């Protein structure tokens, strides 16, 4: 924002009551270095704009609105000298969607920075945005720098804002779910709500502030918030139709519209320019105790039908249909594919936008079908696992009792066959457990009991549990733990499962020597290694690891082909990474990293 524009806006608010805080903010802004000025220019402009609009400062005609002020600035200054974000706000239709996606993302990241390290958040951002239009977002201290991504997004004449909004929604959801897994649902929801509240407090006077709902996780859209967004969409739609019809001088339009303003639209007025004064709407909605969305849709449907019939009678059916289609597209361009888009279409009269209505109905049916299939898959996996486990319990129990029975000694051949039965039953149970785990992980249904964890304790438990199996093969197993190792934030049961799986894997492919399980720390990470002196893995087979049902090297007894896949999913759910180093004939080292918990930060 140029100094000339700042002075222009200051002239508008000079000597106005309550202006001192914003004047102080401007003075601080003037003292900033050029780079910091560019970063602060957008929020400063909106703060100045908010003061001018909310104090209803006089314009050439009436008082300023956000739109009229921007149009005046564009006519006076042009926009080429502004920052990318301000350029977009003034010059690119629909840019508000992207800008407010960035604003809510920035608010969420600032909340997360009170808990997690910047490097941790940056790592997740880089992972999610790699190769996407929004790639290049940087966390710098307690600030978020969008300049690199904005230069790409706003450098083309018609950016694909729909795709970009989806990218932002995916990133926000990933950050939210990571917080939810590690901090619990209640704390994660509080963080997201606080971020949303801070945006609404700062920018709530703008109609575009409702756009942030479109990039929030689906769980966030409560009935109250859904009603807010639906109301904004309907108001936008009615204004878009009304302003076009007002230019057509349609006979009887005002009278017909006034008669249709009933129920929640009682007290709403049609302005001379075709827009509506909706100041009575919030009070009407508050008076409705239930079915607010239904009543709202019915009222706006009645209003829009009346406007459509008036347009059809005065301008012809084709023109009337086109006006409604253009109005709906303008709403969709601004608000994107929100979950309430199908409800907005319900207010469009029959015969208009039928293809869009059909597409939404098909999409909703598909989504219901997918959810149903996911639920059935989970139920099937659960029932199947129970049915498969049930017969294994008596097989394992009675086999163990027979092998331990000292009164009725078994012949060597009988004992050998019984051990085969027991071994096969254990392997079958392991396969069932692994299938259940992978099903839960893929469906996002596995829940983690996140807490402060000492990895030394987890490693000792896993090593003790696998010592007998190693000694039975004549190999050794030992643990090496760095002293004073800081704790990590994780689920001790699942981390034990990862290390146990890696030890079992090493045991299967090690005939001489042994296995070393070690843990050390560095660069804010705890590194766990399971090193063996076994057969090793050929270089061409390394890429096949961590795939479902993939087993490399010589076929060995045991193993489901799912263990490494489960290990990878659990480690990544903890914010870590897993990898392997190996050479054929020289053993293997499987390693994984976990962020260290330090000073209350993840």
């Amino acid at each position: 924002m140029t100094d000339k524009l700042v002075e222009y806006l200051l002239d508008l608010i000079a000597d106005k009551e309550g202006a001192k805080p914003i004047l102080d903010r401007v003075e601080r802004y003037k003292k900033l270095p050029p780079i910091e000025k560019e970063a602060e220019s957008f929020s400063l402009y909106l703060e100045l704009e908010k003061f001018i609009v909310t104090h209803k400062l006089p314009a050439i005609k009436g008082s300023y609105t956000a739109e009229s002020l921007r149009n005046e600035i564009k006519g006076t200054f042009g926009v080429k000298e502004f920052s990318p974000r301000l350029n977009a706000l003034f010059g690119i239709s629909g840019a508000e969607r992207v800008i407010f996606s960035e604003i809510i993302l920035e608010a969420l990241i600032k909340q997360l920075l009170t808990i997690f390290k910047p490097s941790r958040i940056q790592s997740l951002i880089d992972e999610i945005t790699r190769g996407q239009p929004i790639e290049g977002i940087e966390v710098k201290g307690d600030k978020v720098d969008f300049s690199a991504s904005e230069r790409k997004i706003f450098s083309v004449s018609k950016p694909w804002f729909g795709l970009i909004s989806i990218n932002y929604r995916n990133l926000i959801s990933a950050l939210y779910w990571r917080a939810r897994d590690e901090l619990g649902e209640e704390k994660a929801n509080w963080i997201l709500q606080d971020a949303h509240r801070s945006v609404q407090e700062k920018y709530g006077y703008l109609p575009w502030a409702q756009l942030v709902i479109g990039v929030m996780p689906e769980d966030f859209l409560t009935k109250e918030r859904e009603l807010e967004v639906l109301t904004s969409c309907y108001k936008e739609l009615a204004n878009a139709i009304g302003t076009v019809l007002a230019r057509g001088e349609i006979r009887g339009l005002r009278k017909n519209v006034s008669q249709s303003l009933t129920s929640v639209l009682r007290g709403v007025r049609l302005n001379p320019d075709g827009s509506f004064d909706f100041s009575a709407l919030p009070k009407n909605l508050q008076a409705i105790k239930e079915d607010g969305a239904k009543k709202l849709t019915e009222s706006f449907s009645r209003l829009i039908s009346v406007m459509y019939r008036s347009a059809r009678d005065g301008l012809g059916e084709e023109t009337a249909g086109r006006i409604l289609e253009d109005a709906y597209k303008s709403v969709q361009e601004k608000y994107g594919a929100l979950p309430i888009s199908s409800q907005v279409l319900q207010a469009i009269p029959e015969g208009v936008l039928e293809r869009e209505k059909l597409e939404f109905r098909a999409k909703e049916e598909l989504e219901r079908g997918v959810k149903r299939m996911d639920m059935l898959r989970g139920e099937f996996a659960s029932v199947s696992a129970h049915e498969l486990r049930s017969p294994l319990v008596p097989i394992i129990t009675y086999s163990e009792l027979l092998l331990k029975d000292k009164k009725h000694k078994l012949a060597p051949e009988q004992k050998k066959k019984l051990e085969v039965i027991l071994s096969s039953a254990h392997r079958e149970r392991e396969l069932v457990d692994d299938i259940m785990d992978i099903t839960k992980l893929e469906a996002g249904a596995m829940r983690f009991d996140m807490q402060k964890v000492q990895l030394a304790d987890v490693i000792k438990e896993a090593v003790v549990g696998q010592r007998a199996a190693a000694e039975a093969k004549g190999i050794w197993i030992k643990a090496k733990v760095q002293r004073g190792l800081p704790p990590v934030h994780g689920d001790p049961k699942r981390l034990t499962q990862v290390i146990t799986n890696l030890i079992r894997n090493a045991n299967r492919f090690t005939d001489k020597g042994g296995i070393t399980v070690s843990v050390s720390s560095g660069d804010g990470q705890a590194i766990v290694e399971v090193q063996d002196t076994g057969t090793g893995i050929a270089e061409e087979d390394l890429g096949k690891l961590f795939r479902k049902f993939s087993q490399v090297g010589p076929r060995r007894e045991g193993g489901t082909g799912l263990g490494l896949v489960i290990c990878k999913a659990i480690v990544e759910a903890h914010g870590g990474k897993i990898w392997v180093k190996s050479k054929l004939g020289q053993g293997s080292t499987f390693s994984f990293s976990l962020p260290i918990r330090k000073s209350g930060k993840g």
Side-chain angles (χ1 to χ4, degrees), residues 121 170 240 304 487 529 600:
I121 298 172
N170 291 341
I304 291 165
E529 293 185 342

Side-chain angles (χ1 to χ4, degrees), residues 444-467:
M446 181 174 280
R447 291 291 171 255
F448 296 92
D449 180 18
M450 305 301 280
Q451 54 189 272
K452 185 167 72 172
V453 178
Q454 294 291 348
L455 280 174
D457 297 337
V458 173
I459 287 172
K460 286 173 185 175
E461 182 182 343
V463 167
V464 169
Q466 296 302 306
R467 178 161 281 126

Side-chain angles (χ1 to χ4, degrees), residues 30-295:
K30 288 179 178 179
K31 295 174 183 177
L32 292 174
I35 295 177
E36 290 185 35
K37 266 189 175 181
E38 181 173 342
E40 289 292 319
S41 63
F42 180 78
S43 62
L44 176 62
Y45 170 77
L46 285 184
E47 202 168 325
L48 288 162
E49 180 186 84
K50 179 180 180 179
F51 185 91
I52 292 167
V53 172
T54 54
H55 284 74
K56 297 182 179 180
L57 300 188
I60 296 172
K61 291 183 179 180
S63 55
Y64 279 111
T65 64
E67 186 176 2
S68 66
L69 179 61
R70 291 177 199 178
N71 287 336
E72 185 176 308
I73 290 169
K74 278 195 289 185
T76 306
F77 294 93
V79 295
K80 291 183 179 179
E81 296 181 41
F82 297 160
S83 66
R85 195 178 276 188
L86 270 176
N87 267 334
L89 188 67
F90 286 122
I92 305 177
S93 175
E96 298 90 354
R97 286 175 61 192
V98 172
I99 293 168
F100 275 90
S101 296
E102 292 177 350
I103 286 171
I104 188 62
L105 174 61
E106 184 174 21
L108 175 59
I109 289 172
K110 285 183 176 180
Q111 289 291 332
L112 293 174
L113 283 171
T114 63
I115 300 167
F116 300 114
K117 286 186 173 182
S119 58
R120 177 92 179 279
I121 298 172
Q122 184 69 62
S123 176
L124 185 57
I125 290 172
D126 292 343
E127 181 184 335
I128 300 298
T129 63
R130 191 170 292 115
Q132 303 294 334
I134 63 173
E135 184 178 16
I137 299 167
E138 289 186 80
V139 180
K140 296 180 176 179
D142 61 347
K143 297 184 183 300
V144 186
D145 184 1
F146 292 96
S147 56
S149 57
E150 283 177 349
R151 278 193 289 271
K152 289 186 291 182
I153 292 168
F154 299 133
S155 63
V156 291
S157 56
K158 286 188 178 180
W160 195 353
F161 291 136
L163 174 62
I164 292 165
S165 293
I166 291 170
N167 291 158
Y168 276 121
R169 185 175 187 177
N170 291 341
L171 177 54
I172 289 166
S173 293
L175 291 169
Y176 166 71
W177 279 103
R178 181 58 52 85
R180 186 165 164 168
D181 284 341
E182 299 199 14
L183 306 173
E185 184 176 353
E186 185 178 351
K187 183 71 180 290
N189 285 341
W190 180 86
I191 289 171
L192 196 61
Q193 288 164 8
D194 208 50
H196 179 258
R197 193 182 304 113
S198 69
V199 172
Q200 292 302 317
E201 286 174 357
K202 193 169 185 179
Y203 304 112
Y205 76 102
L206 292 167
W208 306 295
Q210 296 294 344
L211 300 177
V212 299
I213 294 291
V215 291
M216 300 292 263
E218 191 172 340
D219 291 356
F220 188 75
L221 196 63
T222 62
K223 285 187 178 180
E224 292 77 13
R225 295 192 186 100
E226 183 177 336
L227 187 60
E228 287 176 15
V229 182
L230 187 60
T231 302
S232 295
C233 288
Y234 279 144
K235 286 160 64 177
E236 187 81 24
L237 183 65
N239 282 331
I241 298 169
T243 50
V244 174
L245 295 186
R247 295 196 293 268
E249 298 181 356
I250 297 171
R251 183 183 298 175
L253 174 64
R254 183 170 295 278
K255 179 182 177 182
N256 293 338
V257 167
S258 297
Q259 290 174 348
S260 71
L261 296 171
T262 58
S263 186
V264 297
L265 296 181
R266 186 175 286 106
V268 171
R269 296 195 306 274
L270 179 64
N271 296 320
D273 64 355
S275 65
F276 288 85
D277 178 357
F278 287 108
S279 55
L281 182 55
K283 187 177 180 180
N284 293 341
L285 284 172
Q286 286 176 1
I288 297 173
K289 294 181 179 179
E290 54 185 28
D291 289 334
K294 183 180 178 182
K295 290 278 184 13

